[in-house]
Amino acid sequence: MKFRRRTQQEQSTPPLTQPASQPGAYRTGEPIRDTKAPSGPVEDRWDTRRFQAKLVNPANKRKLTVIVVGTGLAGGSAAATLGELGYKVKSFCYQDSPRRAHSIAAQGGINAAKNYRGDGDSVYRLFYDTVKGGDFRARESNVYRLAQVSVNIIDQAVAQGVPFAREYGGLLDTRSFGGAQVSRTFYARGQTGQQLLLGAYQALERQIAAGTVEMHTRHEMLEIVVSGGRARGVVVRDMVTGEIETHLADAVVLATGGYGNVFFLSTNAKGCNTTAIWRAHKKGAYFGNPCFTQIHPTCIPVSGDYQSKLTLMSESLRNDGRVWVPLRKGDDRAPADIPEDERDYYLERIYPAFGNLVPRDIASRAAKNVCDEGRGVGPGGLGVYLDFADAIARLGRDAVEKKYGNLFEMYERITGENPYEVPMRIYPAVHYTMGGLWVDYDLQSTIPGLFVIGEANFSDHGANRLGASALMQGLADGYFVLPTTIGDYLAGAGAFGPVEEDDVAEARTAVQDKIDRLLAVNGTRTADSYHRELGRIMWDYCGMERTEESLRKALERIPELREEFWNNVKVPGDAEGLNQALERAGRVADFFELAELMCVDALHRTESCGGHFRAESQDADGEALRDDENFAYVAAWEWTPDGPVLHKEELDYEYVKMTQRSYK
């Protein structure tokens, strides 16, 4: 299908709210502003905010309770730090151990502006690269703070004993990641997330042993308790006994990760879900930029309909691996039989300045384009080669194995192919979500007392996250930002008042009613079968490339499938004990509602930016074409029974000039 380019006149015409009778209908509400970010020079704003924040004295901290939901890098580090500060902390996760959080799967590294290489890096350069990589759809204040705090994270992790890779002389080693021309990524082979999570986990366990943190494993958060206009607790289900429990606190922190599993097939763990943030959204927390999802370019391709998830191959592999496809359409020769002059190293050709290390959204679309041209490799032509022959010849096999050995082993176990001898086959897959609950500079949502950290919020990455920045944000939020800003809120806890019994009863009733409704359907299809079908709709119509036509199809099909789900889903067993079918059904029900909002957001944003690519909005070279005049804002969506309401937070750039991104 061909699309014409939008004219300049069309680009300057603001979009209209859809008529209420059409799919994608929404209303526009009052603008929203972040009132917590200080003014003044961007490099001074975090110091200014820390000084302005009210303090809680140690004796009063012991009287205050904070609930933290999630034990990944953001949640684990936050709970440990808050416990160390003296607060009473209740920590919840649905896994059987905090260290099973999905952060453990992160492979490639963590960014920090240490400039150990002396290659021109700085806090400002990391700030600039992140804003540019996000296609100018993130707040300057938040991103600069992230870059500032990054240097402290490495010191913290080293002090914990995290075994970062080191050079021969013992100094910490770094490597390059996409969207940067400096080496600022610290790593522990291909298991950086695991090592960082174990550091946060041991800090958390220390506080559990000290009695400042009360750990609740195998508990799933199903509702927020809002009383007096503030978040005052959570309703959880004990996944082993089935018991519904209420836990109250002075503040609630959500650190529950992203919602990429709405696509069913993704690199996320199967348990990753949207339930916590979606239930909070329906209680009043605005949802920021839900259509901003990241497709990772280096994943093992889909091999069959039986699959339930996909496997990531670290972006770090693009340091030494070269991406290519055959020059000729339909060339099905083995890669070793294709001579050098009949190969197209297309990233190096199109983007000579960055080569194979362009940002993820650009590399993913480029892979899709060559496959759409009929030059893809492997079954169905949905793959490109990631070739290490040059690196092995240049560095030797032993050196490559020291860098990437566990990743090569993982690839061979899954595919049966030895990447030391034949190129890897890779293809883009859903990996991360830049959207999430809207938060201000203090990481507080539109529900007072509800703080959201890590991937669960929208705050730092704009329309595209740079590689190795997820771990950076999670630990920055948990170790350094939240412990400061939540204190400013809790300093006024004396005026919060008691939690009303009616508010607790309302939250518990909502949870029980949903469970009862799911069990009562007694249909013929499993929740997983509906999830798979929903994921296919999202991938086909709201995936790497979106159009008005495709999004309207999705917005017609999703409500139909959701209605069928509620009339025909089969949830065996009961709620009185372990019931994984019930858990999955509840999560899929929330995915249905989120999917519709994602498509509404994607339909309303008629520009292309970062991971949100509207085929109608591209330049002559097929690159994403932003519309800064009409869309330089955060889309903060409010849930109402009558449909979504859009609140716009205008983005102002004082330090980085908005330009068309170029990595050529």
Side-chain angles (χ1 to χ4, degrees):
M1 184 179 293
K2 294 184 178 180
F3 302 95
R4 67 180 179 87
R5 301 323 195 242
R6 294 161 65 205
T7 66
Q8 196 66 36
Q9 180 179 3
E10 288 174 318
Q11 292 232 11
S12 62
T13 304
L16 298 175
T17 300
Q18 299 298 322
S21 59
Q22 291 188 12
Y26 66 91
R27 291 174 289 133
T28 301
E30 293 296 317
I32 189 171
R33 280 194 321 118
D34 173 17
T35 59
K36 299 292 179 61
S39 57
V42 69
E43 62 271 18
D44 296 336
R45 290 176 187 172
W46 178 227
D47 287 338
T48 300
R49 182 66 190 121
R50 285 193 292 174
F51 179 73
Q52 291 175 344
K54 298 172 185 175
L55 301 178
V56 182
N57 77 50
N60 286 338
K61 284 176 182 173
R62 293 192 293 270
K63 303 174 186 176
L64 298 172
T65 302
V66 180
I67 286 173
V68 181
V69 184
T71 57
L73 286 179
S77 61
T81 307
L82 292 170
E84 183 80 41
L85 286 171
Y87 295 104
K88 292 188 294 184
V89 180
K90 292 185 176 183
S91 178
F92 295 84
C93 68
Y94 62 76
Q95 298 92 346
D96 60 355
S97 167
R99 68 179 181 273
R100 289 186 181 272
H102 186 58
S103 298
I104 206 165
Q107 298 171 353
I110 177 171
N111 288 330
K114 285 287 198 179
N115 195 30
Y116 284 165
R117 291 288 186 100
D119 55 1
D121 201 12
S122 64
V123 167
Y124 194 91
R125 187 175 294 278
L126 176 52
F127 158 65
Y128 176 82
D129 286 347
T130 305
V131 171
K132 177 184 175 182
D135 217 353
F136 307 94
R137 290 295 177 262
R139 296 180 189 139
E140 284 187 329
S141 295
N142 289 64
V143 176
Y144 196 92
R145 177 178 64 188
L146 179 64
Q148 282 179 300
V149 171
S150 71
V151 299
N152 305 120
I153 298 171
I154 304 303
D155 298 338
Q156 172 90 356
V158 169
Q160 291 174 334
V162 172
F164 285 122
R166 293 179 181 267
E167 297 174 330
Y168 179 77
L171 299 177
L172 293 176
D173 195 16
T174 54
R175 56 190 177 196
S176 299
F177 256 61
Q181 292 178 305
V182 296
S183 294
R184 64 163 66 102
T185 305
F186 296 79
Y187 64 99
R189 294 187 78 192
Q191 49 187 234
T192 314
Q194 178 181 2
Q195 299 304 326
L196 288 169
L197 183 61
L198 290 175
Y201 169 71
Q202 69 186 20
L204 176 62
E205 286 295 313
R206 178 173 177 269
Q207 295 306 313
I208 293 171
T212 62
V213 176
E214 182 183 293
M215 189 69 232
H216 298 266
T217 59
R218 302 307 307 270
H219 282 71
E220 183 171 22
M221 195 215 93
L222 297 178
E223 190 61 274
I224 294 282
V225 175
V226 177
S227 184
R230 300 176 186 272
R232 297 299 304 274
V234 295
V235 178
V236 299
R237 179 176 180 269
D238 185 319
M239 297 162 66
V240 177
T241 68
E243 183 181 356
I244 304 300
E245 304 173 4
T246 303
H247 295 265
L248 302 180
D250 298 289
V252 177
V253 180
L254 297 186
T256 51
Y259 48 91
N261 273 352
V262 69
F263 291 90
F264 187 75
L265 287 178
S266 81
T267 65
N268 292 178
K270 282 297 292 176
C272 295
N273 62 83
T274 191
T275 290
I277 60 173
W278 187 254
R279 304 283 172 94
H281 173 58
K282 295 184 74 171
K283 289 299 281 281
Y286 290 4
F287 208 117
N289 299 330
C291 77
F292 286 173
T293 53
Q294 180 166 86
I295 314 295
H296 198 294
T298 52
C299 302
I300 298 178
V302 176
S303 56
D305 291 338
Y306 57 85
Q307 280 185 267
S308 61
K309 77 175 299 295
L310 298 174
T311 303
L312 172 73
M313 287 286 101
S314 170
E315 181 167 316
S316 63
L317 294 170
R318 289 196 275 146
N319 270 276
D320 292 304
R322 301 180 69 193
V323 180
W324 66 274
V325 292
L327 270 176
R328 183 164 52 85
K329 179 179 178 180
D331 191 336
D332 59 359
R333 290 178 291 175
D337 296 334
I338 302 177
E340 194 72 16
D341 61 356
E342 294 182 34
R343 301 179 177 185
D344 180 13
Y345 295 91
Y346 59 90
L347 290 178
E348 298 172 27
R349 171 176 56 82
I350 302 171
Y351 308 102
F354 283 74
N356 294 298
L357 288 175
V358 293
R360 292 173 176 177
D361 60 316
I362 290 175
S364 293
R365 284 196 295 272
K368 179 182 184 300
N369 289 341
V370 295
C371 290
D372 288 349
E373 292 169 5
R375 296 194 288 143
V377 300
L382 293 178
V384 300
Y385 288 128
L386 182 60
D387 197 336
F388 291 87
D390 286 356
I392 292 171
R394 184 178 74 254
L395 303 171
R397 173 169 171 156
D398 287 348
V400 172
E401 188 172 352
K402 285 179 181 177
K403 284 185 175 182
Y404 311 116
N406 64 313
L407 298 172
F408 278 42
E409 181 184 356
M410 184 192 308
Y411 180 87
E412 185 172 9
R413 285 185 177 184
I414 293 172
T415 66
E417 299 171 359
N418 184 348
Y420 294 105
E421 299 174 0
V422 297
M424 288 183 176
R425 287 180 295 107
I426 57 171
Y427 192 70
V430 175
H431 176 60
Y432 187 87
T433 52
M434 287 73 66
L437 293 187
W438 184 95
V439 292
D440 60 20
Y441 191 68
D442 283 0
L443 305 181
Q444 187 171 202
S445 73
T446 48
I447 301 176
L450 178 65
F451 292 78
V452 191
I453 59 177
E455 191 179 354
N457 74 32
F458 88 102
S459 66
D460 290 347
H461 305 296
N464 175 64
R465 177 177 67 77
L466 292 184
S469 288
L471 308 188
M472 176 174 63
Q473 186 209 350
L475 293 180
D477 287 356
Y479 280 137
F480 300 105
V481 180
L482 177 78
T484 296
T485 60
I486 200 171
D488 181 71
Y489 174 78
L490 291 172
F496 291 174
V499 178
E500 296 292 335
E501 291 184 11
D502 288 349
D503 296 325
V504 174
E506 179 186 339
R508 290 180 63 96
T509 299
V511 169
Q512 192 63 58
D513 286 351
K514 189 158 193 174
I515 290 172
D516 293 344
R517 185 181 175 194
L518 287 166
L519 290 169
V521 176
N522 198 29
T524 62
R525 282 185 63 180
T526 66
D528 271 359
S529 73
Y530 282 107
H531 191 185
R532 186 183 293 273
E533 187 172 350
L534 172 65
R536 187 78 233 184
I537 292 170
M538 292 299 291
W539 179 252
D540 288 345
Y541 300 137
C542 191
M544 260 194 289
E545 182 174 289
R546 296 116 182 231
T547 67
E548 180 178 355
E549 180 184 2
S550 72
L551 292 166
R552 291 199 182 282
K553 283 182 180 177
L555 286 166
E556 290 174 0
R557 184 68 187 116
I558 292 169
E560 294 173 354
L561 189 63
R562 182 173 69 242
E563 183 177 1
E564 182 187 334
F565 169 87
W566 280 108
N567 286 304
N568 194 37
V569 69
K570 176 72 173 179
V571 182
D574 57 39
E576 305 309 313
L578 178 67
N579 189 336
Q580 292 183 316
L582 177 61
E583 295 162 20
R584 286 194 290 268
R587 295 167 189 171
V588 173
D590 293 328
F591 276 136
F592 271 116
E593 296 181 3
L594 169 64
E596 191 166 359
L597 181 62
M598 289 172 64
C599 292
V600 170
D601 188 36
L603 182 62
H604 111 276
R605 192 176 283 273
T606 57
E607 67 164 356
S608 291
C609 58
H612 169 65
F613 189 75
R614 286 289 297 265
E616 305 95 332
S617 183
Q618 52 185 302
D619 64 19
D621 295 326
E623 302 287 356
L625 185 61
R626 293 196 322 272
D627 180 0
D628 294 334
E629 184 175 346
N630 292 304
F631 290 102
Y633 61 77
V634 175
W637 294 92
E638 176 188 6
W639 185 89
T640 75
D642 300 323
V645 177
L646 171 63
H647 302 270
K648 300 178 183 179
E649 180 200 339
E650 298 295 333
L651 293 170
D652 298 317
Y653 288 93
E654 301 175 61
Y655 295 87
V656 179
K657 181 181 179 182
M658 287 194 289
T659 59
Q660 186 70 14
R661 280 192 312 172
S662 175
Y663 292 93
K664 297 181 179 181

